[in-house]
Amino acid sequence: MTSAGDLLVIRPKRFELPAWLVVLGLLLRWSWRAGWWCLRHPVATASAALAVTLYVEFDWPGLVVPLALLAAVSLAWWWRHESSWWAWLAGPLLGFVRRVFVYRRVWREAMTLCGLAETYDHRRVLPELLRVRSDQALDVLTIRMVRGQTPEQFQKVSANLAYAFGRRHARVYSERPDDPPTRTGWAAWLLRAVDRVRFRDRPTVVYLALVRTDALRTVVPPFPVPAVPDFTALPLARREDLRTWSLHLLATHVLVGGATRRGKGSVLWSLVRALSGGVASGLVRLWVIDPKGGMEFALGRPMFARFACKSFEAMADLLDEAVDVLRERQARLAGTVRVHTPTEGDPLVVVVVDEMAALTAYLQDGDLRKRIASSLGLLLSQGAGVGVLVVAALQDPRKEVLPFRDLFPTRIALGLTEAAQVDMVLGDGARNRGALADQMPRWAKGVGYVILDGTPDPVRVRFSFVSDSDIRDMAAQYPAPADAADILAQVGRETADEPVRPPLPRKPLGPLLPDSLRNLLDGDGGGAAR
C-alpha cells in the first residue's frame, strides 16, 4: 500500500544473459575487428600468412632464406633506381614503423596540448592518424579531422605540431601535397583509374608534412641548361623532398622578396641559366635593369639584348620600349590567340629588374619615377598574355615601395625581417600556413618559400647557387644573337651615359633683414660702443 508523499524507487528490469551468449558476442566482436583490420592492411596480412606458412613447412630456414633474398633484391633495387625504391618499398615500410613507434606513442598528448582535441558528449574526441608516408627527408601524416574542424586550425598550430613531434619545420596541406604521376604504357589506363581513387578530393582529411632531415642545408649546384627551355617547367630549386621545383614562367610575372644577402641573386641567376638555351637560339630575349651600377648583372652582359645599369633615363627608355613591343603585339595578335607562343621570330621578352625599389620609391626625380611606374603598371597588367614578362626583386615589399605588388601572380619569399612581410609577398595567411620566412637561419641563403601551382600552400625550397665562373661560362657559351632584325636585338647598344644636368638658375640672396632694421641695430651697437 502506498499513499501520497511516499518515495517510490523504480528500477528497470534486468535481463540476465547466459555466460555462453556473452562469450559468443565478444568472440564475434573481436573476429569482426580482426577481419576489418586484415582488409585494411592486406600487405601486412599476406606477409604474416606467408611467414607462418614458410615456418610450418621449412622451419627456420624457411624464414631466413627468403629474408636474405629479399635483402639482396632490395639492395640491387636501391642501387639501380633509388627513387622508385623509396616510393614503393622503403617509404611505406619506414612510414609504417614510424606510425606505430613514433607518432602513435605520443598522439593523444600532442593533439591535446596543441589544442586540437575536442569534447563531445562528455568524451574526448581526437583527430585520427590514418597513414604515415615517408621518404628520404619528410614524413607526411594523413589525418582525419574531427567533425567541425577546418584545416586552418591545424595551420595555426603547425609550429607547435613540429616541436611536439621533435622537429623544427612542419607544414599543413588542405589538399594532397603531391600530384598524380604521369602514366604511360600498356597498363596506363588501369594505373590512372587507381590514381583517381588515390588522389581524390577528401575534404575531411588534412596532411601534415614534418621535415625529418633538412635536405636544404647543402648548397644546390646549378641545374643543366636545357637546349630548348620549357617555359611551363623551368628547373630552379630543390624541394624539401629532394624533388626539383620548376617555375611556370609562361604568361605570368614573378616577384622575389627578400632581405639583403638572402639570395635574391640565386633566384635571378637560376632563372637566367634555365633560359640560357633559349637566349642563344633567339627564343628568349633578356632585358635587364640593374640599378646597382651593374654589380649584380654586368658579368652576364653578352646574354642580354638590353642592359641598363647607370642611367635612370636609360632604364625608363628600356621600359618604354617594352611597352612599345606590348602594343605592337596586341595589335597583331588580337583576335588570333589569347596567349603568346614564343618563336625565334617572335621571342619571349623577359624584363628582369633588380632592386625594384630604386625605381619606384627611392628615385629622386619625381617625373622620371612616375614615367617608370606608368610603364611598369602597363607591363604588369597587360604584358603576360603577349609574352612581355617582368621578373622583379626587392627588399621591402610594402605598398609604399611597390604599389602594384598585387599584379605579380607568382611570388617567392626568401628570408625577410618581419613577420608581416611574409603575407605581403606570398599573400594573406601564408605565414599561418607554414611560410616562416622571417625565421630563416643565417646559413639559409637562397632558401625561400614558393606557392605550388593550383594550391595556396607554401613549399620550402633552395635555389641553385650560380657562381661567378658559372656566369662567365654562360656568357661565353650562350650569348644573345646579334643579327636579328627586330626591335629586340640590340646587343651592341650600351648603357646610356648619365646626362649632364645644368645648374638651376638661382637669384643671388640679399640680406635677410630690411635696411631700416639693420640701420637701427647698427646705431644701437655704435652707441653702446661709445
Side-chain angles (χ1 to χ4, degrees):
M1 295 292 294
T2 60
S3 60
D6 290 345
L7 179 63
L8 297 179
V9 179
I10 302 176
R11 296 187 178 92
K13 185 177 181 180
R14 298 181 59 185
F15 295 94
E16 298 289 342
L17 295 177
W20 65 269
L21 189 57
V22 175
V23 173
L24 179 60
L26 291 176
L27 290 176
L28 291 176
R29 181 181 180 183
W30 293 337
S31 300
W32 165 254
R33 289 187 175 181
W36 180 244
W37 189 92
C38 293
L39 290 175
R40 291 182 58 188
H41 304 83
V43 176
T45 303
S47 300
L50 180 61
V52 171
T53 303
L54 291 175
Y55 178 76
V56 171
E57 293 291 336
F58 305 102
D59 203 16
W60 287 109
L63 297 178
V64 175
V65 174
L67 288 177
L69 292 176
L70 288 175
V73 171
S74 174
L75 183 61
W77 188 0
W78 170 81
W79 177 56
R80 298 297 297 177
H81 202 276
E82 184 179 0
S83 60
S84 63
W85 179 78
W86 272 103
W88 294 98
L89 180 62
L93 183 60
L94 179 61
F96 175 78
V97 173
R98 293 185 62 80
R99 175 174 176 264
V100 174
F101 296 101
V102 176
Y103 298 109
R104 278 292 186 188
R105 186 171 55 86
V106 296
W107 186 255
R108 175 177 292 273
E109 180 183 0
M111 293 296 104
T112 302
L113 296 180
C114 291
L116 296 173
E118 304 291 344
T119 302
Y120 173 72
D121 197 16
H122 306 289
R123 292 188 301 109
R124 206 69 169 163
V125 184
L126 301 176
E128 182 181 359
L129 178 61
L130 301 179
R131 182 190 177 195
V132 176
R133 180 174 54 86
S134 301
D135 55 22
Q136 299 99 311
L138 300 179
D139 287 340
V140 181
L141 283 62
T142 303
I143 305 171
R144 178 181 287 124
M145 297 179 290
V146 176
R147 190 178 298 275
Q149 285 184 337
T150 61
E152 285 74 13
Q153 294 176 255
F154 286 79
Q155 291 166 353
K156 291 179 180 179
V157 295
S158 58
N160 305 68
L161 290 171
Y163 284 92
F165 294 116
R167 303 297 167 196
R168 290 191 179 274
H169 304 287
R171 264 170 309 285
V172 175
Y173 300 94
S174 57
E175 299 178 3
R176 191 180 176 106
D178 51 347
D179 299 324
T182 302
R183 301 297 188 181
T184 58
W186 61 272
W189 64 273
L190 178 60
L191 295 176
R192 283 195 292 266
V194 174
D195 289 339
R196 278 196 293 270
V197 176
R198 291 178 56 207
F199 293 87
R200 68 188 185 277
D201 185 26
R202 304 175 67 183
T204 61
V205 168
V206 72
Y207 302 91
L208 173 65
L210 294 164
V211 181
R212 191 177 67 253
T213 301
D214 196 350
L216 304 184
R217 277 189 169 270
T218 58
V219 177
V220 179
F223 292 95
V225 178
V228 180
D230 182 1
F231 299 115
T232 62
L234 297 172
L236 300 187
R238 177 191 294 165
R239 293 172 46 166
E240 287 176 328
D241 56 3
L242 300 180
R243 291 190 293 173
T244 300
W245 179 78
S246 298
L247 172 67
H248 188 290
L249 183 63
L250 192 64
T252 189
H253 305 291
V254 183
L255 176 64
V256 183
T260 181
R261 311 300 300 172
R262 285 299 186 175
K264 293 188 295 295
S266 296
V267 182
L268 299 179
W269 279 114
S270 297
L271 176 60
V272 171
R273 182 177 179 85
L275 296 173
S276 297
V279 169
S281 65
L283 194 63
V284 181
R285 299 305 170 111
L286 295 176
W287 293 16
V288 178
I289 296 177
D290 187 357
K292 294 187 293 187
M295 292 300 297
E296 183 65 42
F297 283 100
L299 286 176
R301 178 68 180 89
M303 303 176 64
F304 308 144
R306 293 290 310 279
F307 183 63
C309 65
K310 296 180 181 178
S311 170
F312 286 102
E313 281 80 2
M315 300 176 193
D317 292 341
L318 187 152
L319 294 174
D320 289 342
E321 292 184 18
V323 174
D324 293 339
V325 176
L326 180 149
R327 295 301 191 195
E328 186 273 334
R329 288 186 176 179
Q330 284 179 336
R332 177 164 45 88
L333 301 177
T336 304
V337 296
R338 296 176 60 189
V339 178
H340 169 264
T341 301
T343 62
E344 293 182 6
D346 200 13
L348 182 73
V349 181
V350 182
V351 181
V352 180
V353 184
D354 189 22
E355 298 299 342
M356 174 74 85
L359 305 180
T360 60
Y362 307 144
L363 183 58
Q364 296 180 352
D365 191 329
D367 295 335
L368 194 58
R369 185 170 63 248
K370 292 179 181 178
R371 177 184 164 194
I372 290 174
S374 176
S375 298
L376 283 172
L378 289 172
L379 292 175
L380 291 172
S381 60
Q382 304 177 26
V386 295
V388 183
L389 311 180
V390 178
V391 178
L394 80 166
Q395 298 183 25
D396 189 352
R398 291 176 299 170
K399 279 285 188 180
E400 299 81 24
V401 176
L402 189 63
F404 29 76
R405 182 184 66 207
D406 295 333
L407 296 179
F408 287 90
T410 303
R411 306 181 189 183
I412 300 170
L414 301 175
L416 296 167
T417 57
E418 300 176 7
Q421 293 180 350
V422 180
D423 291 345
M424 293 180 189
V425 176
L426 295 179
D428 291 340
R431 193 179 186 279
N432 287 336
R433 293 191 295 269
L436 304 179
D438 58 306
Q439 298 182 7
M440 287 286 188
R442 284 182 290 180
W443 59 263
K445 295 181 179 180
V447 178
Y449 291 89
V450 298
I451 301 295
L452 286 179
D453 294 335
T455 64
D457 303 314
V459 174
R460 187 165 165 263
V461 300
R462 182 163 192 169
F463 291 87
S464 62
F465 174 70
V466 185
S467 64
D468 292 351
S469 59
D470 294 328
I471 296 173
R472 293 189 182 94
D473 293 342
M474 285 193 304
Q477 189 175 358
Y478 304 101
D483 56 350
D486 55 72
I487 188 177
L488 309 179
Q490 302 184 31
V491 180
R493 175 171 176 172
E494 298 296 334
T495 302
D497 295 329
E498 189 71 19
V500 178
R501 302 180 185 274
L504 295 175
R506 297 179 182 273
K507 296 181 179 180
L509 295 177
L512 298 178
L513 298 177
D515 294 337
S516 58
L517 183 58
R518 290 177 60 246
N519 294 334
L520 179 63
L521 292 175
D522 291 340
D524 292 342
R530 286 193 300 269

